[in-house]
Amino acid sequence: MEKYIVNPYEIEEKSMEIIESIMDDADKFNSDELKVVKRIIHTTADFEYSKLIKFNNEPIEKCKQLLSSGCKIYADTEMIKVGVNRIKLKELGCEICNYVHDDDVRITAKEKGITRSMASIEKAVLNNDIKIFLIGNAPTALYKLIELFEGANKVPPLIIGVPIGFVGAAESKEELTKRENIPFITIRGRKGGSTVAVSIINAILKMI
Amino acid sequence: MEKYIVNPYEIEEKSMEIIESIMDDADKFNSDELKVVKRIIHTTADFEYSKLIKFNNEPIEKCKQLLSSGCKIYADTEMIKVGVNRIKLKELGCEICNYVHDDDVRITAKEKGITRSMASIEKAVLNNDIKIFLIGNAPTALYKLIELFEGANKVPPLIIGVPIGFVGAAESKEELTKRENIPFITIRGRKGGSTVAVSIINAILKMI
């Protein structure tokens, strides 16, 4: 078997060098945006993400401020929750939560005939400590989030809205991109997912 | 805002229909393989996966047998661990573990100057109850796994080896594909990841 690199720092540094050497549109991003884009490509090995990503209303700056103030983050899957850099979150006094497996959410979803993701969002928006919404899985969660804030005539502090899939994902993200007053990061089209959501927030945590 | 589908079963069914209508190579897979491939595409929105996947030595059949016998599964990330269908695992008496955050693993990795993923694999192969190795993140984990089994003159019962990345990922998976005696599922090239690993095992769990 060939010799392989076993030092994690060396592996990451080398990966980022390779990614930047392959990207053909690195210059369209500012330095912080580029860090986010490179981390997504590092996580997906998919260069299409640099064409699909959209930053609106200074989301990285706002994300840094919110994280530095020790806010709560809502993640729409357990996978996202455990993937986010827990040491860094603790340092900043931040907390990340997910309600999809909660009993009350299960019951509400069944009663209303909606997804558990939607019922979770209904619960999350009632918690005023939650400032960052990390949606990496369910289009219905993103739709519901936009709906509820609009219904209440409020603007969400920050949405990282990157649900994936074939039914509603692209459409829900198009709805988000129409809201120019919302600070958001999104991936247009079908692509996205839990690992993409994690890579975005971890890239920003690394900047602080 | 447009009306959107909120019934989770309807969303999944429709997604799978769309995926099969877009795939141009569905007929090269048998029925179980196709279920796995469709679930991966459902998770990534990336049709390249059907070109990159490789099944060797009846891995789905073996996976079903191992899961039905209530085995342990080693996952190389916490994200994989929480992503796998926990209700189904419990029903079958299966358990899934990950050692990356264990204190002894941290210490060994530091002392040896290797990745925590590698040190975790060293620990995992000592546990004879672990029959399925789900590697979705670290190429070094996959290399180490192949090395240790070969060093002990043994054949691993099943490897789902889909690490992602730019340094060693494609190469480690090429090493795996050279071992024709090992039952494995892999994704050639750079692509893969935790969500891909999860989608493969969840697709197989659904068949039981």
Side-chain angles (χ1 to χ4, degrees):
Chain A
M1 201 143 65
E2 281 187 38
K3 219 178 155 320
Y4 51 94
I5 305 181
V6 298
N7 178 310
Y9 302 100
E10 209 181 320
I11 293 171
E12 177 163 335
E13 208 176 314
K14 193 146 191 258
S15 300
M16 291 302 179
E17 271 171 33
I18 296 171
I19 291 166
E20 201 158 343
S21 75
I22 298 175
M23 281 182 77
D24 59 7
D25 54 356
D27 55 345
K28 80 176 184 195
F29 301 107
N30 70 34
S31 144
D32 280 354
E33 287 170 354
L34 186 59
K35 284 177 192 159
V36 169
V37 173
K38 281 166 71 179
R39 176 97 10 216
I40 295 173
I41 296 173
H42 182 255
T43 298
T44 58
D46 186 343
F47 287 86
E48 203 189 345
Y49 279 99
S50 70
K51 320 289 177 204
L52 301 173
I53 197 163
K54 194 171 157 57
F55 298 95
N56 187 66
N57 212 350
E58 304 192 322
I60 298 177
E61 208 37 60
K62 274 169 192 144
C63 192
K64 285 197 241 176
Q65 285 165 13
L66 293 167
L67 291 169
S68 300
S69 73
C71 71
K72 275 200 176 162
I73 303 165
Y74 183 77
D76 79 326
T77 65
E78 279 287 312
M79 284 187 77
I80 297 177
K81 190 178 150 188
V82 303
V84 176
N85 185 333
R86 64 185 85 181
I87 295 168
K88 197 81 194 186
L89 285 182
K90 209 178 162 186
E91 262 175 45
L92 296 168
C94 292
E95 215 181 286
I96 188 161
C97 52
N98 165 260
Y99 301 147
V100 168
H101 298 286
D102 291 7
D103 285 336
D104 53 342
V105 163
R106 235 184 258 272
I107 292 165
T108 306
K110 209 169 177 183
E111 280 176 0
K112 295 192 178 176
I114 59 177
T115 64
R116 282 190 285 146
S117 300
M118 290 169 78
S120 306
I121 288 290
E122 291 183 349
K123 182 171 174 176
V125 295
L126 296 176
N127 185 335
N128 287 323
D129 296 334
I130 296 174
K131 305 290 185 192
I132 300 174
F133 294 88
L134 253 178
I135 311 293
N137 183 56
T140 55
L142 182 54
Y143 273 125
K144 182 49 87 181
L145 186 59
I146 297 169
E147 241 175 53
L148 290 174
F149 270 93
E150 276 186 0
N153 241 325
K154 284 185 184 171
V155 177
L158 181 68
I159 297 181
I160 297 174
V162 294
I164 178 128
F166 291 84
V167 174
E171 296 83 349
S172 70
K173 292 181 285 186
E174 283 310 309
E175 286 294 335
L176 180 60
T177 57
K178 284 182 203 160
R179 272 68 180 178
E180 286 189 6
N181 56 338
I182 301 178
F184 68 73
I185 300 174
T186 194
I187 303 291
R188 301 183 88 152
R190 289 172 180 151
K191 289 184 178 178
S194 294
T195 48
V196 172
V198 167
S199 65
I200 293 172
I201 195 92
N202 280 345
I204 299 173
L205 278 166
K206 225 180 163 182
M207 296 174 200
I208 301 175
Chain B
M1 203 145 64
E2 282 188 35
K3 220 177 152 327
Y4 51 94
I5 305 181
V6 299
N7 180 311
Y9 303 100
E10 208 181 320
I11 292 170
E12 178 164 335
E13 209 176 315
K14 189 142 192 258
S15 301
M16 291 302 180
E17 270 172 32
I18 297 171
I19 291 167
E20 201 159 341
S21 76
I22 298 175
M23 280 181 78
D24 59 6
D25 55 356
D27 54 346
K28 80 177 185 198
F29 301 106
N30 69 36
S31 143
D32 280 354
E33 287 170 352
L34 185 60
K35 283 178 191 159
V36 169
V37 173
K38 281 166 68 179
R39 174 89 23 208
I40 295 173
I41 296 173
H42 181 257
T43 298
T44 58
D46 186 344
F47 286 87
E48 204 190 345
Y49 279 99
S50 70
K51 319 291 178 202
L52 300 173
I53 197 162
K54 192 170 157 59
F55 298 96
N56 187 66
N57 210 351
E58 304 191 324
I60 299 177
E61 207 37 61
K62 271 165 197 148
C63 192
K64 283 196 242 177
Q65 285 165 15
L66 292 168
L67 290 169
S68 299
S69 72
C71 70
K72 273 198 178 164
I73 303 164
Y74 182 76
D76 79 328
T77 66
E78 278 287 312
M79 285 186 75
I80 298 177
K81 191 177 150 188
V82 303
V84 176
N85 185 334
R86 63 185 84 180
I87 296 168
K88 197 81 194 189
L89 286 182
K90 206 176 165 190
E91 261 176 46
L92 296 167
C94 293
E95 215 181 284
I96 188 160
C97 51
N98 166 259
Y99 300 147
V100 168
H101 297 287
D102 291 7
D103 285 336
D104 54 341
V105 163
R106 236 184 257 273
I107 292 164
T108 306
K110 210 170 178 184
E111 278 175 3
K112 295 192 180 179
I114 58 177
T115 63
R116 282 192 284 148
S117 300
M118 289 169 80
S120 306
I121 289 291
E122 289 183 352
K123 182 170 173 176
V125 294
L126 296 176
N127 185 336
N128 288 321
D129 296 335
I130 295 174
K131 305 291 186 196
I132 300 174
F133 294 88
L134 252 179
I135 312 292
N137 182 55
T140 56
L142 182 54
Y143 273 125
K144 181 50 88 181
L145 187 59
I146 298 169
E147 242 177 52
L148 291 174
F149 270 95
E150 275 186 359
N153 240 326
K154 286 183 180 171
V155 177
L158 180 68
I159 298 180
I160 297 174
V162 294
I164 177 125
F166 292 83
V167 174
E171 297 83 350
S172 69
K173 292 181 285 186
E174 283 311 308
E175 286 295 334
L176 180 60
T177 57
K178 287 181 199 160
R179 271 70 180 178
E180 286 190 4
N181 57 338
I182 301 179
F184 68 75
I185 300 174
T186 194
I187 303 292
R188 300 183 89 153
R190 289 174 180 148
K191 289 184 177 178
S194 294
T195 47
V196 173
V198 167
S199 64
I200 293 172
I201 195 92
N202 279 347
I204 299 173
L205 279 165
K206 222 177 166 184
M207 297 173 200
I208 303 174

